[in-house]
Amino acid sequence: AQSVTQLGSHVSVSEGALVLLRCNYSSSVPPYLFWYVQYPNQGLQLLLKYTSAATLVKGINGFEAEFKKSETSFHLTKPSAHMSDAAEYFCAVRRSGGSNYKLTFGKGTLLTVNP
Amino acid sequence: KAGVTQTPRYLIKTRGQQVTLSCSPISGHRSVSWYQQTPGQGLQFLFEYFSETQRNKGNFPGRFSGRQFSNSRSEMNVSTLELGDSALYLCASSSSFPPGTEAFFGQGTRLTVV
């Protein structure tokens, strides 16, 4: 079985501050890991993905994440928050082997950016 | 290239009715999966189709069903609607099965059951 835990359902930062959204995963096989962003009344947009290549992954809009196998973590960061980053962020895991390739999502973290 | 298209965007149904939601994947994509999003349960996997065959199914009652057509378009159906079925239903498409790695999501259908 696989699972994702996102620490902090709500994170608030000031504009220009560091953004850090935490994600820990559990998977019985090597995982693929993803971060998605969701704006109000919208679907999910892929920010970045880890697929067993480089452990530091760069995504869109200045976001990046580092895969740490020893810590089973895949935290999302951005050096300087922008007002447009305010949204809900979801970490997701997918098996890279076996027969069930569903995405398992965390509960999400709502990011608020204060002026 | 057009993205994933879900219709309708909003739907209001009465308890006991049935509903059909539609999803057109990105052109060339053959895998379609469905997710239910609610405030309480978050994002939950419903089912996944590839080449008109259901490949995986989540833990939902039999009232939830789906299908995929030869042009890769997919529909999901919910019969005997319950208040708890009110949710945002998201469809995602991928280029292959097993899904390469990326799933592209549509904007969703907001279903309200009254």
Side-chain angles (χ1 to χ4, degrees):
Chain A
Q2 56 196 32
S3 64
V4 174
T5 301
Q6 290 184 240
L7 296 175
S9 60
H10 188 194
V11 170
S12 182
V13 300
S14 298
E15 192 172 19
L18 171 72
V19 175
L20 171 61
L21 304 182
R22 300 178 187 273
C23 172
N24 288 88
Y25 71 92
S26 171
S27 178
S28 57
V29 298
Y32 292 154
L33 293 160
F34 308 81
W35 275 99
Y36 283 89
V37 61
Q38 186 177 35
Y39 299 97
N41 296 315
Q42 298 293 318
L44 303 176
Q45 179 184 8
L46 181 67
L47 280 176
L48 48 79
K49 61 181 180 181
Y50 166 76
T51 58
S52 75
T55 57
L56 182 61
V57 181
K58 294 188 184 299
I60 63 172
N61 301 338
F63 285 95
E64 63 180 39
E66 186 172 8
F67 173 70
K68 292 186 176 180
K69 184 178 179 180
S70 61
E71 299 177 8
T72 61
S73 69
F74 190 57
H75 302 331
L76 182 71
T77 61
K78 182 174 180 178
S80 177
H82 191 272
M83 296 295 290
S84 61
D85 295 326
E88 191 157 22
Y89 292 79
F90 293 92
C91 181
V93 62
R94 170 184 278 157
R95 297 165 59 100
S96 61
S99 61
N100 191 332
Y101 295 93
K102 70 175 184 178
L103 281 166
T104 298
F105 288 89
K107 293 292 189 184
T109 298
L110 182 64
L111 176 66
T112 302
V113 182
N114 303 306
Chain B
K1 202 174 198 182
V4 179
T5 302
Q6 291 188 246
T7 56
R9 287 290 314 276
Y10 301 93
L11 207 49
I12 300 176
K13 289 288 187 178
T14 303
R15 196 169 38 176
Q17 288 186 313
Q18 76 166 24
V19 66
T20 299
L21 311 182
S22 179
C23 172
S24 293
I26 292 171
S27 178
H29 283 195
R30 299 169 63 191
S31 176
V32 172
S33 52
W34 290 87
Y35 292 82
Q36 181 196 64
Q37 185 178 25
T38 60
Q41 299 299 317
L43 283 150
Q44 294 186 290
F45 172 75
L46 280 157
F47 24 64
E48 180 166 37
Y49 290 88
F50 181 76
S51 293
E52 302 177 67
T53 300
Q54 187 180 90
R55 299 288 177 158
N56 288 297
K57 189 176 191 306
N59 295 323
F60 279 81
R63 300 184 297 106
F64 292 81
S65 63
R67 58 178 175 170
Q68 186 180 33
F69 302 95
S70 58
N71 62 358
S72 295
R73 191 177 70 85
S74 178
E75 290 181 346
M76 67 164 282
N77 184 77
V78 188
S79 63
T80 319
L81 284 165
E82 301 178 358
L83 296 179
D85 297 333
S86 295
L88 180 67
Y89 289 88
L90 293 165
C91 167
S93 79
S94 299
S95 58
S96 62
F97 186 90
T101 51
E102 286 182 49
F104 296 88
F105 283 80
Q107 292 191 308
T109 294
R110 172 76 63 186
L111 172 65
T112 302
V113 182
V114 298

